[in-house]
Amino acid sequence: MRRVMIAGNWKMNKDIKESTVFLEEYCKRIVSDKSLKYDLDTRTEVILFPSTFSIYPMSCYKQDIGSKISLGVQNVHWMDSGPLTGEVSTLMALHAGASYALVGHSERRHVFGENDLIVKAKFEACSKTGLKPFLCVGETENERNMDLTGSVLEKQVSAAISDTVSCIGEDHLIIAYEPVWAIGTGNSASSKDAQKACSHIRSVVRDIKGLPASEMAHVLYGGSVNLSNSHEFLLEKDIDGLLVGGASLDPVIFAGIVKNTVLTRKEVQGNDM
Ligand code: PGA
């Protein structure tokens, strides 16, 4: 059974102090609720992508307070070191306490001009060093209107995962479907459309990597997820979690989304405690 992943992408928000205060507030709400413990220990993983500066202090702080939350970096370069002013490497992120990295987020593709070749280089660099990549894919509004969603997803997924040398195993394939038109707009995809896209992504993975890898892959939805709509995505069979932007900045709301996730999981799979 695939575990559920709930990830918060903070983008360029929260300094070090604000990040640790968030962690404290979030943990207070989660730890005090004993009914969440079994799920959070065994089958639901919560991951935060703070600013690069906050990864190390958050990693130390979470150990101090005994939090199980995982951390990720929002961006990495594919080289290990060198004259690349402003960049950070996958090993730097790992050593600071990150276990995951966002790769191919729509803001990197569309604001910073990252193409499929760059996304592949980053995806591969992460996979080689053991930093687990969250590959983000999704169509623009124009592409959606032209009925190109399926082919855009095929192109973006296959460009990143075909012929990739990986040391982290196929069971760590994580792909977030994030339609560009849904990010930061308050206009999320319907759960049915998100399910259709996520199922298509899984079939693309099956064609490239085979059936076992496609069944183990984690396919997430992201784009204007909030406290009231998070539940419906998690009822869909090919959606294994959520990548949350704006709604992850508030510890009360994010804790609410995590609680909803655990409840939904129990509803779908039963409470086998
Ligand atoms: P949003 O962002 O939830 O604010 O739409 C999602 C993302 O960019 O990952």
Side-chain angles (χ1 to χ4, degrees):
M1 185 54 71
R2 297 185 293 265
R3 69 190 186 290
V4 171
M5 305 176 103
I6 302 296
N9 172 13
W10 286 355
K11 312 191 181 187
M12 200 171 72
N13 293 293
K14 295 196 191 292
D15 64 16
I16 294 173
K17 178 81 191 144
E18 290 163 338
S19 305
T20 49
V21 168
F22 174 103
L23 207 49
E24 192 181 350
E25 291 297 317
Y26 166 83
C27 288
K28 248 192 247 163
R29 283 167 176 83
I30 294 296
V31 173
S32 63
D33 190 337
K34 299 287 176 239
S35 68
L36 304 174
K37 188 172 172 1
Y38 174 78
D39 270 80
L40 293 176
D41 283 349
T42 57
R43 52 187 197 178
T44 304
E45 183 169 8
V46 181
I47 304 144
L48 285 174
F49 290 90
S51 95
T52 309
F53 286 116
S54 293
I55 294 174
Y56 184 66
M58 284 179 82
S59 162
C60 298
Y61 188 63
K62 84 186 180 84
Q63 281 173 25
D64 289 350
I65 61 173
S67 165
K68 288 213 157 51
I69 219 157
S70 302
L71 297 172
V73 61
Q74 294 177 18
N75 183 36
V76 279
H77 197 271
W78 59 90
M79 300 287 285
D80 290 342
S81 62
L84 295 158
T85 302
E87 295 292 324
V88 297
S89 74
T90 55
L91 278 177
M92 289 172 188
L94 270 173
H95 294 163
S99 312
Y100 294 93
L102 292 180
V103 174
H105 188 278
S106 104
E107 284 148 22
R108 299 299 314 175
R109 291 180 193 261
H110 298 285
V111 183
F112 298 97
E114 292 187 5
N115 60 22
D116 281 340
L117 273 179
I118 293 176
V119 173
K120 184 183 179 56
K122 293 184 175 193
F123 184 86
E124 197 152 56
C126 290
S127 307
K128 275 187 191 154
T129 50
L131 188 66
K132 297 166 208 153
F134 260 66
L135 172 67
C136 303
V137 295
E139 81 287 2
T140 62
E141 187 161 25
N142 261 345
E143 289 164 339
R144 180 185 187 224
N145 292 339
M146 290 189 292
D147 214 11
L148 293 175
T149 301
S151 56
V152 168
L153 297 179
E154 273 156 50
K155 179 175 156 295
Q156 292 180 344
V157 172
S158 63
I161 71 167
S162 299
D163 312 315
T164 304
V165 182
S166 170
C167 74
I168 54 176
E170 306 292 14
D171 53 334
H172 284 304
L173 205 45
I174 305 161
I175 303 178
Y177 169 58
E178 295 209 301
V180 180
W181 49 268
I183 295 179
T185 58
N187 178 25
S188 68
S190 70
S191 55
K192 293 291 164 233
D193 285 350
Q195 159 60 25
K196 193 169 158 211
C198 290
S199 151
H200 186 58
I201 289 172
R202 204 178 293 287
S203 70
V204 176
V205 173
R206 189 193 56 224
D207 293 346
I208 298 170
K209 300 272 183 194
L211 185 64
S214 75
E215 283 176 346
M216 281 187 283
H218 289 85
V219 186
L220 278 53
Y221 170 75
S224 294
V225 171
N226 57 42
L227 192 52
S228 36
N229 67 12
S230 55
H231 172 87
E232 62 200 56
F233 295 107
L234 296 163
L235 292 171
E236 299 296 340
K237 82 172 175 30
D238 282 295
I239 302 183
D240 304 315
L242 303 166
L243 180 51
V244 188
S248 71
L249 291 169
D250 182 321
V252 180
I253 296 176
F254 192 61
I257 292 176
V258 170
K259 285 184 193 183
N260 272 353
T261 302
V262 171
L263 292 177
T264 308
R265 176 103 188 200
K266 285 180 176 164
E267 194 178 318
V268 175
Q269 293 174 357
N271 185 355
D272 56 4
M273 281 178 69

